[in-house]
Amino acid sequence: MTPHTDVVDHPSRRIVAALPRPYEEAREHYESLVPEVDIARFRQAASWPEVLEVAEVNAPHGFMRYYRGDVPDIAEVGRELDSLLARLLELLDGGVPPQLTP
């Protein structure tokens, strides 16, 4: 059993890339150049040469998009989870670390 509630910081490195235009325009341009991966076609491939062939057709420049996440939406979810966690800790009489209080 953990005797008390605490917050542990995990440092991370973030790369901030300069964009030649506003974020939405830059994202749309990137997505127009880099196709989304066609998972169904890859699953149909019966051999490694077929996988390479699908990749060549799917990604003529050698890049495919495997995931698209909306960062502002994720950040909002994080803030909401912090407040829900703080409320849960209050209900459990565990004490709320100052990092979770608004």
Side-chain angles (χ1 to χ4, degrees), residues 17-33:
L19 299 174
R21 51 187 93 169
Y23 172 77
E24 283 299 319
E25 288 179 32
R27 182 191 53 78
E28 288 172 7
H29 181 66
Y30 170 81
E31 289 179 354
S32 74
L33 298 173

Side-chain angles (χ1 to χ4, degrees), residues 38-58:
D38 186 346
I39 296 294
R41 289 195 62 203
F42 278 100
R43 287 189 175 140
Q44 292 172 354
S47 66
W48 184 247
E50 285 183 29
V51 167
L52 295 177
E53 185 178 319
V54 171
E56 181 64 32
V57 170
N58 196 120

Side-chain angles (χ1 to χ4, degrees), residues 23-101:
Y23 172 77
E24 283 299 319
E25 288 179 32
R27 182 191 53 78
E28 288 172 7
H29 181 66
Y30 170 81
E31 289 179 354
S32 74
L33 298 173
V34 179
E36 187 174 349
V37 67
D38 186 346
I39 296 294
R41 289 195 62 203
F42 278 100
R43 287 189 175 140
Q44 292 172 354
S47 66
W48 184 247
E50 285 183 29
V51 167
L52 295 177
E53 185 178 319
V54 171
E56 181 64 32
V57 170
N58 196 120
H61 303 293
F63 295 98
M64 290 177 267
R65 287 183 288 120
Y66 291 90
Y67 172 77
R68 178 175 183 256
D70 192 345
V71 175
D73 285 347
I74 293 170
E76 181 60 36
V77 168
R79 284 188 290 277
E80 188 175 325
L81 288 176
D82 279 355
S83 67
L84 292 172
L85 178 58
R87 180 68 182 130
L88 176 62
L89 291 171
E90 282 178 4
L91 293 172
L92 296 174
D93 291 327
V96 179
Q99 295 92 329
L100 293 179
T101 55

